[in-house]
Each structure stands twice: as structure tokens, then as C-alpha cells.
Amino acid sequence: MPGEATESPAKDLRSLIPEYASLARETVLLNPEPGDPGPRESSLGGGLLWPVDEPWPYCAQEDHWTFGTDWRNRTEIVPGAVPMVPILQLFARDVPGLEFPEGKDLLQLVWCALIHEQDPGPVMPRLYWRNETEVVRGGLLPEIPEAGEGEYDEDHMPAPSTLSPAAADDYPRWLDLPGTSGRPGNPVSGSRRAARNGHRTPTSSARRSAAGPPGPSPPTGRTARAATAWSTS
């Protein structure tokens, strides 16, 4: 209709900056959508296909804590009493570009949803590689313990989401480009000055164009959002 603005189509970064073509890495975008995923589905923050003969993991760190409802209040948590939180489950059939160990076709990630001072902080993740058939044959854990009130930090709790993995090309930041050091006379120095002055650099603009328009809002939590992209390089 007259007066309506039309969106410019996303451009291929390789056509904008041909030198970037050789720097591309294959990446899998998980594309989470709020939902109610089951234990036999790839998911973010959903139920896990957990073997019945393996106890659910708990975090026993002595100094993990949460701000709780009041960010000014640092609440210490009793060690050993906090169940890990399901974060990510990926079946090999859904992410063909991701290399799994031989004999494994299921990847699971859990973490303690509290704040930790020590490495690898702020969460304490645990990664599991499994064989789906073996887990199902042995039986499933009937109930996964849930973190209760005061046993998690809101920023570390993802909303249950289904996944629609898709292959994509990933490119390095301008700081990671070969031969860039930020020395005077180097193109990086000019880019850094432009960024400080509020101007878009060619690299940052191209990355936005290649990414296309923003998608739906990611799941709750800053740390949870970091789990929505998985690199297979």
C-alpha cells in the first residue's frame, strides 16, 4: 500500500565482503520456540531422556548463591541440596552437522542455576553423551527433581522450548580477523575509532545484513540465551 515501507532483503556477506568467504565456519542455529518438548525431542530447557539407573546430578559447591527476588540480597545456598537444571538436549538426527562420539547419538547439558565464583562460572555445567537406544532399553528416570524456590537464579533458567536446528555460516568478528592488531595505520584502528564515534563499520554492518531480520525473543535468561547457538567447527 502507498506509504508503507518495504524491508530490504538480507544480503549474502560473501557478496558484500568477498574476502570473508574463506573464513566461514559451519554453524548450527538451534532456533528455539516456546513449547512443551518431550524427553524424546531435542529441546532447550525441556525434559531429558535420563537413564533410570543414573542418579540425577546435584551441585555441592559450598559458595554458590543467588540474588533471589532482591538483587541487593546475596543469599547463600546449602551445599549439596540443589538439583542441576536441564538446559539442552540434542539428538544426532536433528543436527547432522554436529559430530558425535562413536556410538553416541544423544547430547545432554545440565547446569547448576546458581551463581558461582570459581571457574568455569557463573554456572557449573555438566555434559553427557549417550546412546538413545541403550537409554530407552534400560528404562527412564520417572521423575526429574526440580530446583525449588531460592535454589536457582532467574537469569540461568531457560523457558522450555522446542528446537528447529538449521545450518548456517558463521564469520569471525573484526577483532578476530587474520592480521588485525589495532596498530596505527591498520584498518582495525580506523574501525575501532568509528565504533567509538557511533558509526557503523563495514564489518558490523555486513554481519547484521547477513543475519537478516531479528527473530522471536529467545528464552528467559542471559546465560540461557547463550545456549541457543551451537558451533560445529
Side-chain angles (χ1 to χ4, degrees), residues 14 17-26 169-172 177-178:
R14 289 167 293 189
I17 309 177
E19 294 80 4
Y20 253 26
S22 62
L23 303 177
R25 302 184 305 170
E26 184 181 352
D169 288 333
D170 185 34
Y171 297 91
L177 293 176

Side-chain angles (χ1 to χ4, degrees), residues 1-129:
M1 295 179 63
E4 289 188 353
T6 58
E7 291 187 4
S8 300
K11 296 181 179 180
D12 187 347
L13 183 59
R14 289 167 293 189
S15 66
L16 295 173
I17 309 177
E19 294 80 4
Y20 253 26
S22 62
L23 303 177
R25 302 184 305 170
E26 184 181 352
T27 298
V28 175
L29 302 180
L30 299 182
N31 298 317
E33 291 283 351
D36 185 24
R40 302 296 293 271
E41 299 178 75
S42 292
S43 63
L44 178 71
L48 302 187
L49 197 73
W50 200 266
V52 68
D53 58 353
E54 184 174 331
W56 184 257
Y58 280 70
C59 180
Q61 295 295 328
E62 295 182 356
D63 57 353
H64 54 197
W65 56 279
T66 177
F67 288 115
T69 56
D70 184 354
W71 64 268
R72 296 167 298 182
N73 177 34
R74 174 173 169 145
T75 304
E76 299 291 341
I77 304 299
V78 178
V82 180
M84 294 281 197
V85 173
I87 299 300
L88 183 66
Q89 177 166 266
L90 292 177
F91 290 90
R93 59 178 177 268
D94 296 326
V95 282
L98 179 62
E99 184 177 351
F100 282 68
E102 184 176 357
K104 307 297 182 183
D105 57 6
L106 173 58
L107 168 64
Q108 295 172 328
L109 172 67
V110 302
W111 67 37
C112 176
L114 294 171
I115 301 171
H116 304 74
E117 301 295 343
Q118 63 273 65
D119 290 335
V123 297
M124 301 294 285
R126 292 187 189 178
L127 194 65
Y128 300 85
W129 299 95

